[in-house]
């Protein structure tokens, strides 16, 4: 299968997005200033890649990571 260059539903070439969740901690000094952060879990991606314009599901994140990331 050939890689997509635009949304098959609305024709937009603006791109896709994927929501994700991650857990972490923010550290602060007693004066209220930030003192860093620590990510305490792996990124957990939602299942689908979605068109930024029409918000329809285009493909799974797994398909996207296998066919588009790292090219």
């Amino acid at each position: 299968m050939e890689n997509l260059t635009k949304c098959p539903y609305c024709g937009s070439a603006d791109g896709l997005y994927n929501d994700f969740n991650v857990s972490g901690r923010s550290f602060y000094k007693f004066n209220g200033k930030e003192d860093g952060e620590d990510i305490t879990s792996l990124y957990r991606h939602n299942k689908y890649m979605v068109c930024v314009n029409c918000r329809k599901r285009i493909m799974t994140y797994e398909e996207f990571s296998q066919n588009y990331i790292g090219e």
Side-chain angles (χ1 to χ4, degrees), residues 27-55:
F27 296 92
Y28 297 89
K29 296 287 188 184
F30 282 103
N31 63 7
K33 297 199 185 232
E34 268 194 66
D35 192 30
E37 61 185 26
D38 187 20
I39 303 299
T40 59
S41 71
L42 298 175
Y43 284 83
R44 202 176 64 214
H45 292 271
N46 286 355
K47 185 170 182 174
Y48 294 101
M49 297 299 295
V50 179
C51 174
V52 297
N53 287 320
C54 71
R55 297 185 178 170

Side-chain angles (χ1 to χ4, degrees), residues 3 9 13 19-21 25-26 33 36-37 43 63 70:
N3 283 357
Y9 300 102
D19 292 322
F20 64 89
N21 295 305
R25 292 185 176 130
S26 294
K33 297 199 185 232
E37 61 185 26
Y43 284 83
E63 290 170 330

